[in-house]
């Protein structure tokens, strides 16, 4: 039945007549039958939650703005993601370097433990300096591009994104390194 070829009823602006209340209620009852027992209710709830999580995971992978969680939505967060993804930050290497430094610190050789301690210090100092630079540049860009929009938490969002390996970031990076956001 093609609704577009039927003449529109002026009393029904949506293109079809409004169903009677009894018909609408009976359709709803048929569509969602109540669970027979508690186990069935839990199973349905688990399936619905799994479907929601799958849709959200696909949105994070594809960057579909409609299904992103609230922390990732909006033009400000999108700009912060693109700003961070278009550059290299030392904080990205924190996890791999932490593993290497921990392995070095376990070795029972005095020089290795000294080297591990100095590496920790060096990595932390470099990450702090790099993060301060990010905060300054990001705040400046956000104030220029979004003067009237709420920016609360956007800088912290960017800092947390720098701590993740680029390959593992969600939503997936939409810009290449070196591109302008």
């Amino acid at each position: 039945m093609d609704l577009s070829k039927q003449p529109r009823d002026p009393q029904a602006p949506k293109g079809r007549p409004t169903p009677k209340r009894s018909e609408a209620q009976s359709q709803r009852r048929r569509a969602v039958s109540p669970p027979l027992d508690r186990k069935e209710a839990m199973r349905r709830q688990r399936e619905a939650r799994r479907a929601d999580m799958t849709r959200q995971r696909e949105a994070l992978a594809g960057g579909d703005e409609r299904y992103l969680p609230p922390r990732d939505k909006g033009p400000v967060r999108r700009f912060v993601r693109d700003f961070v993804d278009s550059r290299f930050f030392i904080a990205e290497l924190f996890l791999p370097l932490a593993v290497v430094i921990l392995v070095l610190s376990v070795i029972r050789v005095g020089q290795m433990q000294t080297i591990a301690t100095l590496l920790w210090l060096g990595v932390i100092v470099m990450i702090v300096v790099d993060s301060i630079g990010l905060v300054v540049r990001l705040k400046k860009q956000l104030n220029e591009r979004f003067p009237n929009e709420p920016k609360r938490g956007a800088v912290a969002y960017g800092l947390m994104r720098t701590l993740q390996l680029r390959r593992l970031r969600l939503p997936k990076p939409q810009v290449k390194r070196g591109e302008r956001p």
Side-chain angles (χ1 to χ4, degrees):
M1 183 171 121
D2 188 14
L3 294 176
S4 62
K5 296 193 179 183
Q6 291 179 345
R8 287 187 67 161
D9 182 5
Q11 299 293 353
K14 62 188 163 289
R16 58 181 165 74
T18 304
K20 291 182 181 174
R21 173 179 261 167
S22 59
E23 291 173 7
Q25 286 177 341
S26 68
Q27 285 177 343
R28 274 199 309 262
R29 281 193 196 107
R30 258 187 278 130
V32 181
S33 59
L36 301 173
D37 58 358
R38 190 169 162 258
K39 217 179 213 183
E40 176 70 16
M42 294 300 287
R43 186 184 64 76
R44 286 184 184 181
Q45 191 176 22
R46 204 172 30 249
E47 286 174 1
R49 195 176 326 118
R50 191 174 296 133
D52 288 344
M53 292 301 291
T54 302
R55 188 177 66 233
Q56 196 171 39
R57 198 174 310 114
E58 289 171 0
L60 283 171
D64 188 358
E65 190 81 24
R66 293 172 297 177
Y67 302 112
L68 290 177
R71 69 156 197 223
D72 296 318
K73 280 187 179 177
V76 174
R77 296 298 169 108
R78 177 177 216 72
F79 174 75
V80 171
R81 282 195 304 272
D82 291 345
F83 187 86
V84 169
D85 294 339
S86 67
R87 292 163 174 75
F88 173 77
F89 294 95
I90 295 168
E92 291 178 40
L93 301 177
F94 175 72
L95 289 175
L97 286 173
V99 171
V100 169
I101 293 170
L102 284 174
V103 168
L104 287 176
S105 66
V106 170
I107 298 174
R108 295 284 178 201
V109 177
Q111 284 183 328
M112 286 294 186
Q113 289 182 338
T114 305
I115 290 171
T117 304
L118 289 174
L119 277 174
W120 266 126
L121 181 64
V123 166
I124 290 172
V125 167
M126 287 189 302
I127 289 174
V128 167
V129 169
D130 204 20
S131 297
I132 290 171
L134 169 70
V135 167
V136 169
R137 288 179 296 186
L138 189 54
K139 278 186 176 181
K140 181 181 174 190
Q141 288 287 322
L142 285 172
N143 287 331
E144 286 176 10
R145 292 186 187 223
F146 305 100
N148 300 326
E149 294 212 26
K151 297 174 276 292
R152 184 170 185 206
V155 174
Y157 178 76
L159 286 171
M160 292 306 294
R161 193 160 174 91
T162 62
L163 286 172
Q164 300 165 345
L165 292 171
R166 183 179 169 88
R167 194 174 316 133
L168 301 178
R169 291 177 184 165
L170 288 176
K172 296 282 184 198
Q174 303 292 317
V175 296
K176 294 179 181 167
R177 284 209 169 108
E179 284 184 19
R180 297 197 61 77

